[in-house]
Amino acid sequence: MTTSGLRAVRFAILFCSFSSPAAAQVISIKTVPIAQGDQFQIFPSNNLGMGGVSIALPDSLQDPFVNPAKGARLGGRGGRFFSAPTVYSVSRRTGGGRSLPLAALARTGSWYGGLALALQQVDPSRPPFDGGFIAVDQPIALLPPSPPNLPIPAPDDKAHGNEYVFAMAGKALPAGRLSVGASVLWAGLHAVDGVDLLYAGSRRVAQSGHSLDVRLGLLKEWAGTEGADGKEGAGRSLEALLLHNRFAARHDVTFVELFWDPITQQTGQRARLEENFDYTNTWGLHLEYEVPLSADGWRIGWLATANRMSHPKIPTYELAAVPAIPRDPGRSAAFNLGMGVSKVRGPATFAVEAIFEPIRSYTWADAATPVVTVVGDTIAAGGKTVENRFRFRNALFRMGASQEWDLRGVGKTAGVQFGLIVRSVRYRLAQTDNVQLLSRSFETGWLEWTPTWGLSLRFPELEIRYRGRVTHGAGRPGVQFPVSWARGFALAGNSILAAPTGPLVLTDVNTTTHQISLSLPLR
């Protein structure tokens, strides 16, 4: 059977868009529930313990890093210094990482700006219950290794580091209650959590790459109504954000193959090096509108996000028992539509929000040389041999509550937070093999849920916050990496062929994140 025919008979596409070092306005796409740590949660967040609610409830710490126009809300505080050491771990000793960010936001007159630096260390991802690599059946090559032969490296068990640099500047126009700002975030990436598990049977995966995220934001606020205490409450607000994100990574993957040497009549081993590239370019537009419902603290908000992505290169991931499709370019269109409600009454806060996420992705495999189809036609070099169309119907639900208490002493408070995040991923794939003239489709999905919590202490000159969360519902590939399809079938002409199912299972793991943030005035 030809390689293209094998691709059509056995499903072989894995398209994961790993979260780039940006906020939720860059929509991630996943087709397999692989557990990943909160590697890119490098900025402080006040609402992280409340499930990360953000539509109808401002996040005083994270908002300026998401939309630079919100840096104008620093007001008369002059400036703040932040540090948010973060540690995450994946259960069953399958991975983890640590981040140390330092950030400062300052304002003088109508101008404001910020700078942040972060260093990160990511442990190698390890499959559950094995010695560090995913075992697969290795075919024996009939030819001896071609000189020069690559040395066989040892498995990589060292942690690798990433670096992040963030800069922001903006201007507030008090007369119109308007502010504009721009920010740039650059990341040097040598380890993206979970990537090394996507090359079954590999001995070593060396990663290198970078990400660049550029944002232009606008914030318009209207005067609020006066409450019973005589103070003006928050009024309506409208924010807009335009972003461009470029992600580029290279994976140098070393495999160890068995070969038969006809001269010595013995089986030996040799190393094989493959280069894989992962490129994604994203343009995004985000709109969010909030309005108070009443003078007693109720607010409602809506958001809409649109991402247009091009994928010039998608890595040729190799999974146990699942052949790969090489050279997969593609494109995607992803959207977020959401609504949230919040209630603030004195020291108590409650918020809930729901987001619907429709996504369309189209990927294909190019013919490296002219390919003859089963009916004798020829697909020219560069033509599409396999086409994959994904339709996602994802949903996200977040809720959270917090309570603060005054301690003895002016300006001293303590608080607790609790929250929950539930994410549903559901998609349908329609795959067409233009060589074997076969079509197949299947639908599958999964559910992830994340409880969150937090503690805080506030003093006149210092704020200390602890935030934690643990994610359930995803897994790590072990000795076998199964993918089970739901309602799968193949259609060839008038015949219906039962699609084969692979012996695939993910080992369930939990991802736990802890963040301690410190905030103090610059002067």
Side-chain angles (χ1 to χ4, degrees):
M1 181 179 291
T2 65
T3 302
S4 297
L6 185 63
R7 295 175 194 150
V9 175
R10 301 178 70 183
F11 176 64
I13 184 67
L14 168 67
F15 175 54
C16 286
S17 177
F18 290 100
S19 301
S20 57
Q25 284 77 10
V26 178
I27 302 170
S28 64
I29 305 173
K30 277 190 176 183
T31 59
V32 173
I34 290 183
Q36 290 180 273
D38 287 329
Q39 176 178 354
F40 300 116
Q41 185 64 46
I42 60 174
F43 295 126
S45 171
N46 185 54
N47 297 352
L48 186 64
M50 298 176 61
V53 290
S54 62
I55 297 180
L57 186 68
D59 190 324
S60 58
L61 293 180
Q62 195 172 59
D63 281 349
F65 300 100
V66 175
N67 186 340
K70 292 185 176 181
R73 289 178 173 172
L74 286 171
R77 291 181 290 177
R80 305 287 293 181
F81 170 81
F82 303 94
S83 180
T86 304
V87 177
Y88 75 87
S89 61
V90 186
S91 63
R92 302 178 186 266
R93 299 182 179 180
T94 56
R98 297 149 292 279
S99 302
L100 178 60
L102 301 173
L105 301 177
R107 177 167 180 170
T108 174
S110 61
W111 290 92
Y112 59 88
L115 180 66
L117 305 172
L119 297 177
Q120 185 178 77
Q121 191 178 53
V122 178
D123 297 330
S125 305
R126 296 181 177 90
F129 312 123
D130 79 352
F133 66 94
I134 303 174
V136 294
D137 294 334
Q138 290 182 313
I140 298 178
L142 298 179
L143 299 177
S146 302
N149 192 28
L150 296 174
I152 298 178
D156 188 2
D157 57 357
K158 297 180 180 179
H160 295 273
N162 301 321
E163 308 85 30
Y164 303 84
V165 180
F166 172 86
M168 175 190 69
K171 183 177 177 60
L173 305 173
R177 291 180 175 259
L178 185 70
S179 60
V180 293
S183 67
V184 58
L185 172 64
W186 178 87
L189 302 173
H190 305 282
V192 176
D193 186 63
V195 165
D196 38 2
L197 295 176
L198 301 180
Y199 296 96
S202 64
R203 178 63 63 92
R204 176 188 291 262
V205 180
Q207 304 179 48
S208 61
H210 69 275
S211 175
L212 179 66
D213 186 88
V214 180
R215 300 183 173 215
L216 178 63
L218 179 145
L219 175 65
K220 168 65 177 177
E221 297 181 292
W222 287 267
T225 58
E226 186 176 290
D229 56 0
K231 296 182 180 180
E232 182 182 289
R236 293 179 295 140
S237 67
L238 173 66
E239 67 171 283
L241 180 70
L242 178 66
L243 67 89
H244 180 57
N245 184 280
R246 301 180 68 88
F247 178 84
R250 171 176 168 173
H251 308 153
D252 293 327
V253 187
T254 302
F255 294 91
V256 176
E257 298 178 325
L258 299 178
F259 71 93
W260 173 257
D261 191 337
I263 299 177
T264 62
Q265 297 292 300
Q266 292 181 346
T267 301
Q269 291 184 330
R270 63 181 177 188
R272 172 173 58 89
L273 181 65
E274 287 188 0
E275 295 180 351
N276 285 272
F277 298 92
D278 187 1
Y279 298 154
T280 295
N281 302 319
T282 303
W283 284 95
L285 176 64
H286 175 80
L287 300 173
E288 192 165 333
Y289 180 69
E290 298 179 34
V291 60
L293 289 177
S294 61
D296 57 354
W298 283 100
R299 292 182 66 84
I300 187 170
W302 298 268
L303 68 76
T305 305
N307 282 182
R308 180 66 175 178
M309 308 174 187
S310 63
H311 315 285
K313 291 287 185 179
I314 298 176
T316 308
Y317 295 127
E318 298 195 17
L319 307 176
V322 181
I325 299 179
R327 299 179 304 279
D328 295 282
R331 58 179 180 266
S332 300
F335 305 91
N336 273 346
L337 300 171
M339 184 180 72
V341 177
S342 70
K343 165 70 172 180
V344 179
R345 184 174 183 178
T349 301
F350 170 78
V352 60
E353 59 192 38
I355 299 174
F356 175 59
E357 192 174 80
I359 303 173
R360 298 291 183 268
S361 292
Y362 174 49
T363 66
W364 61 88
D366 294 332
T369 59
V371 177
V372 179
T373 68
V374 292
V375 296
D377 297 333
T378 300
I379 299 176
K384 299 174 181 177
T385 58
V386 178
E387 299 177 77
N388 307 283
R389 291 176 171 84
F390 296 87
R391 290 177 175 265
F392 291 82
R393 303 185 306 277
N394 300 344
L396 178 65
F397 174 81
R398 294 187 287 225
M399 64 177 297
S402 69
Q403 175 71 46
E404 291 188 344
W405 296 274
D406 289 330
L407 302 178
R408 293 181 179 179
V410 179
K412 298 180 181 179
T413 62
V416 296
Q417 293 183 337
F418 297 99
L420 178 66
I421 306 171
V422 179
R423 176 182 293 275
S424 171
V425 179
R426 193 78 187 173
Y427 70 90
R428 184 179 184 86
L429 168 67
Q431 186 183 59
T432 303
D433 187 324
N434 297 322
V435 178
Q436 297 295 318
L437 302 183
L438 296 171
S439 297
R440 74 184 306 273
S441 68
F442 76 90
E443 184 173 347
T444 189
W446 66 92
L447 187 71
E448 297 179 13
W449 58 282
T450 305
T452 65
W453 60 89
L455 300 171
S456 63
L457 288 173
R458 294 187 183 183
F459 303 96
E461 299 298 326
L462 175 66
E463 297 178 4
I464 304 175
R465 296 175 175 86
Y466 162 72
R467 304 292 184 255
R469 65 181 183 181
V470 56
T471 300
H472 308 265
R476 294 280 204 184
V479 175
Q480 290 183 334
F481 181 68
V483 174
S484 27
W485 345 119
R487 296 193 294 276
F489 64 92
L491 177 62
N494 294 324
S495 302
I496 298 179
L497 307 177
T501 57
L504 295 149
V505 186
L506 284 175
T507 300
D508 291 337
V509 296
N510 302 326
T511 303
T512 305
T513 302
H514 303 282
Q515 182 185 86
I516 298 177
S517 62
L518 306 175
S519 173
L520 64 156
L522 290 176
R523 55 187 177 184

